[in-house]
Amino acid sequence: QCFQAPYLAVAQLAHFADQGFVQACYGPHEMLLFGVKTAVVSMNPADGAFDFVGLNHVLAGFQVPYPTLVDACLVAGTDYSKTLPFLNQGDFSFSQALTAVRKMPLA
């Protein structure tokens, strides 16, 4: 069978992962924002190698819970949304977005 996502393929893949139909999804880092536990971000079929990002590894690395990571990514900007203007002044780093979200929780 073939499935066509009604809007974003990333959201459809995240749903498949959540339902246990797949163990990992191939796509951009933004897949983590949809709760995908393992995102394959690049592949090299010639040598059978691939690079992946694990959600739990990212959360542990930044020492944040999942909702804070999502908020910081949305504030920082993604392929789907632009960086908020107050962060987009001069040198930008993701740590600035994390600091902003920690100081002013969006929820």
Side-chain angles (χ1 to χ4, degrees):
Q1 277 187 332
C2 178
F3 292 93
Q4 182 174 356
Y7 185 63
L8 286 175
V10 172
Q12 187 71 55
L13 289 171
H15 173 71
F16 288 155
D18 185 55
Q19 296 299 306
F21 296 129
V22 297
Q23 293 177 335
C25 298
Y26 178 70
H29 293 88
E30 286 86 0
M31 294 190 90
L32 300 178
L33 298 178
F34 289 88
V36 171
K37 301 290 185 216
T38 305
V40 177
V41 295
S42 69
M43 288 191 281
N44 185 345
D47 62 8
F50 63 92
D51 294 315
F52 69 94
V53 178
L55 178 58
N56 290 334
H57 184 74
V58 171
L59 295 174
F62 287 117
Q63 298 177 341
V64 295
Y66 177 68
T68 301
L69 178 70
V70 171
D71 290 345
C73 288
L74 293 175
V75 166
T78 69
D79 285 347
Y80 311 113
S81 62
K82 293 184 178 191
T83 303
L84 291 184
F86 74 91
L87 287 176
N88 207 10
Q89 300 171 11
D91 293 333
F92 169 79
S93 73
F94 186 70
S95 63
Q96 291 171 315
L98 279 173
T99 300
V101 168
R102 285 177 174 142
K103 286 182 179 178
M104 331 176 263
L106 300 176

